PDB file of all heavy atoms in Angstrom:
ATOM      1  N   ALA A1451      17.670  45.512  52.172  1.00  0.00           N
ATOM      2  CA  ALA A1451      16.306  46.027  52.430  1.00  0.00           C
ATOM      3  C   ALA A1451      15.949  45.917  53.887  1.00  0.00           C
ATOM      4  O   ALA A1451      16.335  45.101  54.589  1.00  0.00           O
ATOM      5  CB  ALA A1451      15.313  45.240  51.614  1.00  0.00           C
ATOM      6  N   SER A1452      15.201  46.930  54.289  1.00  0.00           N
ATOM      7  CA  SER A1452      14.770  47.052  55.698  1.00  0.00           C
ATOM      8  C   SER A1452      13.270  46.734  55.860  1.00  0.00           C
ATOM      9  O   SER A1452      12.834  46.476  57.051  1.00  0.00           O
ATOM     10  CB  SER A1452      14.969  48.350  56.288  1.00  0.00           C
ATOM     11  OG  SER A1452      16.415  48.793  56.213  1.00  0.00           O
ATOM     12  N   GLY A1453      12.541  46.769  54.696  1.00  0.00           N
ATOM     13  CA  GLY A1453      11.071  46.761  54.854  1.00  0.00           C
ATOM     14  C   GLY A1453      10.500  45.643  54.154  1.00  0.00           C
ATOM     15  O   GLY A1453      10.912  44.482  54.030  1.00  0.00           O
ATOM     16  N   GLY A1454       9.262  45.975  53.581  1.00  0.00           N
ATOM     17  CA  GLY A1454       8.425  44.957  52.894  1.00  0.00           C
ATOM     18  C   GLY A1454       9.054  44.345  51.561  1.00  0.00           C
ATOM     19  O   GLY A1454       8.745  43.253  51.323  1.00  0.00           O
ATOM     20  N   GLY A1455       9.959  45.084  50.981  1.00  0.00           N
ATOM     21  CA  GLY A1455      10.628  44.561  49.872  1.00  0.00           C
ATOM     22  C   GLY A1455       9.914  44.464  48.595  1.00  0.00           C
ATOM     23  O   GLY A1455      10.255  43.597  47.691  1.00  0.00           O
ATOM     24  N   SER A1456       9.039  45.425  48.301  1.00  0.00           N
ATOM     25  CA  SER A1456       8.450  45.408  47.026  1.00  0.00           C
ATOM     26  C   SER A1456       9.363  45.775  45.955  1.00  0.00           C
ATOM     27  O   SER A1456       9.190  45.267  44.799  1.00  0.00           O
ATOM     28  CB  SER A1456       7.142  46.298  47.037  1.00  0.00           C
ATOM     29  OG  SER A1456       7.584  47.725  47.059  1.00  0.00           O
ATOM     30  N   ASN A1457      10.384  46.576  46.223  1.00  0.00           N
ATOM     31  CA  ASN A1457      11.416  46.858  45.124  1.00  0.00           C
ATOM     32  C   ASN A1457      12.244  45.676  44.913  1.00  0.00           C
ATOM     33  O   ASN A1457      12.664  45.388  43.876  1.00  0.00           O
ATOM     34  CB  ASN A1457      12.248  47.976  45.575  1.00  0.00           C
ATOM     35  CG  ASN A1457      11.623  49.384  45.174  1.00  0.00           C
ATOM     36  OD1 ASN A1457      11.434  49.639  44.059  1.00  0.00           O
ATOM     37  ND2 ASN A1457      11.231  50.159  46.174  1.00  0.00           N
ATOM     38  N   LEU A1458      12.607  44.880  46.015  1.00  0.00           N
ATOM     39  CA  LEU A1458      13.265  43.613  45.768  1.00  0.00           C
ATOM     40  C   LEU A1458      12.394  42.693  44.825  1.00  0.00           C
ATOM     41  O   LEU A1458      12.867  42.067  43.927  1.00  0.00           O
ATOM     42  CB  LEU A1458      13.524  42.924  47.156  1.00  0.00           C
ATOM     43  CG  LEU A1458      13.903  41.465  47.079  1.00  0.00           C
ATOM     44  CD1 LEU A1458      15.269  41.264  46.426  1.00  0.00           C
ATOM     45  CD2 LEU A1458      13.839  40.845  48.436  1.00  0.00           C
ATOM     46  N   GLN A1459      11.149  42.599  45.137  1.00  0.00           N
ATOM     47  CA  GLN A1459      10.231  41.879  44.269  1.00  0.00           C
ATOM     48  C   GLN A1459      10.310  42.218  42.875  1.00  0.00           C
ATOM     49  O   GLN A1459      10.382  41.396  41.941  1.00  0.00           O
ATOM     50  CB  GLN A1459       8.845  41.945  44.800  1.00  0.00           C
ATOM     51  CG  GLN A1459       7.945  40.897  44.227  1.00  0.00           C
ATOM     52  CD  GLN A1459       8.195  39.449  44.701  1.00  0.00           C
ATOM     53  OE1 GLN A1459       8.293  39.269  45.872  1.00  0.00           O
ATOM     54  NE2 GLN A1459       8.397  38.566  43.883  1.00  0.00           N
ATOM     55  N   ALA A1487      11.049  41.625  53.124  1.00  0.00           N
ATOM     56  CA  ALA A1487      12.062  41.296  52.014  1.00  0.00           C
ATOM     57  C   ALA A1487      12.623  39.831  52.184  1.00  0.00           C
ATOM     58  O   ALA A1487      12.922  39.250  51.115  1.00  0.00           O
ATOM     59  CB  ALA A1487      13.167  42.356  52.043  1.00  0.00           C
ATOM     60  N   ARG A1490      10.382  37.330  50.851  1.00  0.00           N
ATOM     61  CA  ARG A1490      10.263  37.416  49.327  1.00  0.00           C
ATOM     62  C   ARG A1490      11.460  36.668  48.743  1.00  0.00           C
ATOM     63  O   ARG A1490      11.395  36.043  47.811  1.00  0.00           O
ATOM     64  CB  ARG A1490      10.213  38.793  48.893  1.00  0.00           C
ATOM     65  CG  ARG A1490       8.925  39.550  49.257  1.00  0.00           C
ATOM     66  CD  ARG A1490       9.012  40.960  48.730  1.00  0.00           C
ATOM     67  NE  ARG A1490       7.892  41.787  49.221  1.00  0.00           N
ATOM     68  CZ  ARG A1490       6.782  42.062  48.509  1.00  0.00           C
ATOM     69  NH1 ARG A1490       6.519  41.366  47.434  1.00  0.00           N
ATOM     70  NH2 ARG A1490       5.949  42.896  49.057  1.00  0.00           N
ATOM     71  N   LEU A1530      20.540  49.144  47.326  1.00  0.00           N
ATOM     72  CA  LEU A1530      19.842  49.492  48.535  1.00  0.00           C
ATOM     73  C   LEU A1530      18.404  49.690  48.059  1.00  0.00           C
ATOM     74  O   LEU A1530      18.071  50.595  47.358  1.00  0.00           O
ATOM     75  CB  LEU A1530      20.389  50.756  49.154  1.00  0.00           C
ATOM     76  CG  LEU A1530      21.981  50.802  49.412  1.00  0.00           C
ATOM     77  CD1 LEU A1530      22.339  51.997  50.138  1.00  0.00           C
ATOM     78  CD2 LEU A1530      22.459  49.548  50.064  1.00  0.00           C
ATOM     79  N   ALA A1531      17.492  48.889  48.473  1.00  0.00           N
ATOM     80  CA  ALA A1531      16.024  48.934  48.147  1.00  0.00           C
ATOM     81  C   ALA A1531      15.201  49.099  49.427  1.00  0.00           C
ATOM     82  O   ALA A1531      14.732  48.061  49.959  1.00  0.00           O
ATOM     83  CB  ALA A1531      15.685  47.677  47.287  1.00  0.00           C
ATOM     84  N   GLY A1532      15.130  50.304  49.833  1.00  0.00           N
ATOM     85  CA  GLY A1532      14.397  50.498  51.094  1.00  0.00           C
ATOM     86  C   GLY A1532      15.281  50.134  52.236  1.00  0.00           C
ATOM     87  O   GLY A1532      14.733  49.623  53.284  1.00  0.00           O
ATOM     88  N   PHE A1533      16.637  50.351  52.168  1.00  0.00           N
ATOM     89  CA  PHE A1533      17.476  50.092  53.286  1.00  0.00           C
ATOM     90  C   PHE A1533      17.678  51.378  54.013  1.00  0.00           C
ATOM     91  O   PHE A1533      18.263  52.277  53.588  1.00  0.00           O
ATOM     92  CB  PHE A1533      18.858  49.502  52.719  1.00  0.00           C
ATOM     93  CG  PHE A1533      19.879  49.032  53.729  1.00  0.00           C
ATOM     94  CD1 PHE A1533      19.477  47.922  54.476  1.00  0.00           C
ATOM     95  CD2 PHE A1533      21.115  49.565  53.807  1.00  0.00           C
ATOM     96  CE1 PHE A1533      20.386  47.384  55.445  1.00  0.00           C
ATOM     97  CE2 PHE A1533      21.985  49.105  54.789  1.00  0.00           C
ATOM     98  CZ  PHE A1533      21.616  47.932  55.527  1.00  0.00           C
ATOM     99  N   LEU A1534      17.095  51.354  55.277  1.00  0.00           N
ATOM    100  CA  LEU A1534      16.968  52.595  55.951  1.00  0.00           C
ATOM    101  C   LEU A1534      18.088  52.831  56.843  1.00  0.00           C
ATOM    102  O   LEU A1534      17.983  52.980  58.089  1.00  0.00           O
ATOM    103  CB  LEU A1534      15.633  52.633  56.782  1.00  0.00           C
ATOM    104  CG  LEU A1534      14.361  52.408  55.883  1.00  0.00           C
ATOM    105  CD1 LEU A1534      13.146  52.326  56.734  1.00  0.00           C
ATOM    106  CD2 LEU A1534      14.285  53.507  54.857  1.00  0.00           C
ATOM    107  N   ASN A1551      21.000  53.297  45.073  1.00  0.00           N
ATOM    108  CA  ASN A1551      19.774  53.414  45.980  1.00  0.00           C
ATOM    109  C   ASN A1551      18.601  53.896  45.227  1.00  0.00           C
ATOM    110  O   ASN A1551      18.806  54.597  44.220  1.00  0.00           O
ATOM    111  CB  ASN A1551      20.188  54.398  47.083  1.00  0.00           C
ATOM    112  CG  ASN A1551      19.070  54.569  48.126  1.00  0.00           C
ATOM    113  OD1 ASN A1551      18.483  53.683  48.600  1.00  0.00           O
ATOM    114  ND2 ASN A1551      18.763  55.803  48.438  1.00  0.00           N
ATOM    115  N   VAL A1552      17.500  53.537  45.687  1.00  0.00           N
ATOM    116  CA  VAL A1552      16.269  54.078  45.162  1.00  0.00           C
ATOM    117  C   VAL A1552      15.543  54.986  46.264  1.00  0.00           C
ATOM    118  O   VAL A1552      15.447  54.517  47.366  1.00  0.00           O
ATOM    119  CB  VAL A1552      15.180  52.986  44.546  1.00  0.00           C
ATOM    120  CG1 VAL A1552      14.741  52.043  45.708  1.00  0.00           C
ATOM    121  CG2 VAL A1552      13.912  53.764  43.995  1.00  0.00           C
ATOM    122  N   HIS A1553      15.177  56.159  45.809  1.00  0.00           N
ATOM    123  CA  HIS A1553      14.614  57.144  46.872  1.00  0.00           C
ATOM    124  C   HIS A1553      13.435  57.723  46.382  1.00  0.00           C
ATOM    125  O   HIS A1553      13.318  58.157  45.084  1.00  0.00           O
ATOM    126  CB  HIS A1553      15.720  58.250  47.097  1.00  0.00           C
ATOM    127  CG  HIS A1553      15.217  59.183  48.101  1.00  0.00           C
ATOM    128  ND1 HIS A1553      15.207  59.030  49.468  1.00  0.00           N
ATOM    129  CD2 HIS A1553      14.727  60.525  47.861  1.00  0.00           C
ATOM    130  CE1 HIS A1553      14.628  60.059  50.064  1.00  0.00           C
ATOM    131  NE2 HIS A1553      14.358  60.967  49.156  1.00  0.00           N
ATOM    132  N   PRO A1554      12.373  57.790  47.141  1.00  0.00           N
ATOM    133  CA  PRO A1554      10.991  58.230  46.672  1.00  0.00           C
ATOM    134  C   PRO A1554      10.776  59.796  46.596  1.00  0.00           C
ATOM    135  O   PRO A1554       9.817  60.303  47.071  1.00  0.00           O
ATOM    136  CB  PRO A1554      10.069  57.634  47.694  1.00  0.00           C
ATOM    137  CG  PRO A1554      10.857  57.628  48.948  1.00  0.00           C
ATOM    138  CD  PRO A1554      12.273  57.388  48.582  1.00  0.00           C
ATOM    139  N   SER A1555      11.700  60.379  45.952  1.00  0.00           N
ATOM    140  CA  SER A1555      11.535  61.926  45.599  1.00  0.00           C
ATOM    141  C   SER A1555      12.386  62.168  44.506  1.00  0.00           C
ATOM    142  O   SER A1555      13.272  61.395  43.984  1.00  0.00           O
ATOM    143  CB  SER A1555      11.887  62.791  46.880  1.00  0.00           C
ATOM    144  OG  SER A1555      13.347  62.985  46.880  1.00  0.00           O
ATOM    145  N   GLN A1566       7.870  61.457  50.905  1.00  0.00           N
ATOM    146  CA  GLN A1566       6.522  61.771  50.368  1.00  0.00           C
ATOM    147  C   GLN A1566       5.834  62.703  51.212  1.00  0.00           C
ATOM    148  O   GLN A1566       5.130  63.663  50.743  1.00  0.00           O
ATOM    149  CB  GLN A1566       5.742  60.495  50.200  1.00  0.00           C
ATOM    150  CG  GLN A1566       6.408  59.462  49.344  1.00  0.00           C
ATOM    151  CD  GLN A1566       7.175  58.409  50.162  1.00  0.00           C
ATOM    152  OE1 GLN A1566       7.691  58.775  51.300  1.00  0.00           O
ATOM    153  NE2 GLN A1566       7.422  57.187  49.702  1.00  0.00           N
ATOM    154  N   CYS A1579      10.634  59.605  41.828  1.00  0.00           N
ATOM    155  CA  CYS A1579      11.620  58.787  42.465  1.00  0.00           C
ATOM    156  C   CYS A1579      12.894  58.892  41.722  1.00  0.00           C
ATOM    157  O   CYS A1579      12.972  59.378  40.587  1.00  0.00           O
ATOM    158  CB  CYS A1579      11.109  57.335  42.501  1.00  0.00           C
ATOM    159  SG  CYS A1579      10.710  56.631  41.005  1.00  0.00           S
ATOM    160  N   SER A1611       2.552  57.874  47.920  1.00  0.00           N
ATOM    161  CA  SER A1611       3.662  56.806  48.048  1.00  0.00           C
ATOM    162  C   SER A1611       3.343  55.642  47.064  1.00  0.00           C
ATOM    163  O   SER A1611       4.269  55.164  46.539  1.00  0.00           O
ATOM    164  CB  SER A1611       3.732  56.267  49.516  1.00  0.00           C
ATOM    165  OG  SER A1611       4.088  57.398  50.319  1.00  0.00           O
ATOM    166  N   ILE A1614       4.158  56.773  43.487  1.00  0.00           N
ATOM    167  CA  ILE A1614       5.633  56.751  43.323  1.00  0.00           C
ATOM    168  C   ILE A1614       6.219  55.381  43.253  1.00  0.00           C
ATOM    169  O   ILE A1614       7.068  55.076  42.550  1.00  0.00           O
ATOM    170  CB  ILE A1614       6.331  57.637  44.462  1.00  0.00           C
ATOM    171  CG1 ILE A1614       5.811  59.037  44.436  1.00  0.00           C
ATOM    172  CG2 ILE A1614       7.899  57.496  44.474  1.00  0.00           C
ATOM    173  CD1 ILE A1614       6.319  59.885  45.626  1.00  0.00           C
ATOM    174  N   LEU A1615       5.804  54.548  44.154  1.00  0.00           N
ATOM    175  CA  LEU A1615       6.271  53.185  44.307  1.00  0.00           C
ATOM    176  C   LEU A1615       6.182  52.338  42.984  1.00  0.00           C
ATOM    177  O   LEU A1615       7.066  51.600  42.538  1.00  0.00           O
ATOM    178  CB  LEU A1615       5.658  52.397  45.426  1.00  0.00           C
ATOM    179  CG  LEU A1615       6.232  51.156  45.958  1.00  0.00           C
ATOM    180  CD1 LEU A1615       7.661  51.432  46.458  1.00  0.00           C
ATOM    181  CD2 LEU A1615       5.457  50.557  47.160  1.00  0.00           C
ATOM    182  N   GLU A1618       9.033  53.525  40.999  1.00  0.00           N
ATOM    183  CA  GLU A1618      10.205  52.753  41.538  1.00  0.00           C
ATOM    184  C   GLU A1618      10.389  51.400  40.937  1.00  0.00           C
ATOM    185  O   GLU A1618      11.474  51.032  40.588  1.00  0.00           O
ATOM    186  CB  GLU A1618      10.146  52.752  43.056  1.00  0.00           C
ATOM    187  CG  GLU A1618      10.209  54.165  43.772  1.00  0.00           C
ATOM    188  CD  GLU A1618      10.206  53.935  45.294  1.00  0.00           C
ATOM    189  OE1 GLU A1618      10.937  53.140  45.783  1.00  0.00           O
ATOM    190  OE2 GLU A1618       9.415  54.640  45.924  1.00  0.00           O
ATOM    191  N   HIS A1619       9.305  50.697  40.926  1.00  0.00           N
ATOM    192  CA  HIS A1619       9.370  49.245  40.475  1.00  0.00           C
ATOM    193  C   HIS A1619       9.689  49.168  38.968  1.00  0.00           C
ATOM    194  O   HIS A1619      10.163  48.114  38.515  1.00  0.00           O
ATOM    195  CB  HIS A1619       8.014  48.641  40.719  1.00  0.00           C
ATOM    196  CG  HIS A1619       7.688  48.499  42.190  1.00  0.00           C
ATOM    197  ND1 HIS A1619       6.327  48.199  42.638  1.00  0.00           N
ATOM    198  CD2 HIS A1619       8.435  48.626  43.255  1.00  0.00           C
ATOM    199  CE1 HIS A1619       6.425  48.207  43.918  1.00  0.00           C
ATOM    200  NE2 HIS A1619       7.550  48.465  44.322  1.00  0.00           N
TER     201      HIS A1619
HETATM  202  C1  GRF B1225      10.469  52.814  48.894  1.00  0.00           C
HETATM  203  O1  GRF B1225       9.637  53.834  48.708  1.00  0.00           O
HETATM  204  C2  GRF B1225      11.984  53.290  48.802  1.00  0.00           C
HETATM  205  O2  GRF B1225      12.128  54.244  47.854  1.00  0.00           O
HETATM  206  C3  GRF B1225      12.216  53.763  50.224  1.00  0.00           C
HETATM  207  O3  GRF B1225      11.516  52.903  51.073  1.00  0.00           O
HETATM  208  C4  GRF B1225      10.426  52.242  50.260  1.00  0.00           C
HETATM  209  C5  GRF B1225      10.694  50.737  50.372  1.00  0.00           C
HETATM  210  O4  GRF B1225       9.670  50.055  49.838  1.00  0.00           O
HETATM  211  N1  GRF B1225      13.519  54.011  50.462  1.00  0.00           N
HETATM  212  P1  GRF B1225       9.910  48.369  49.572  1.00  0.00           P
HETATM  213  O5  GRF B1225      10.404  47.875  50.948  1.00  0.00           O
HETATM  214  O6  GRF B1225      10.830  48.207  48.490  1.00  0.00           O
HETATM  215  O7  GRF B1225       8.492  47.902  49.418  1.00  0.00           O
END
Side-chain angles (χ1 to χ4, degrees):
S1452 302
S1456 70
N1457 277 295
L1458 166 66
Q1459 191 68 54
R1490 292 182 191 265
L1530 310 185
F1533 188 60
L1534 302 179
N1551 180 47
V1552 60
H1553 180 75
S1555 79
Q1566 305 92 333
C1579 55
S1611 297
I1614 294 171
L1615 200 56
E1618 293 181 45
H1619 295 164

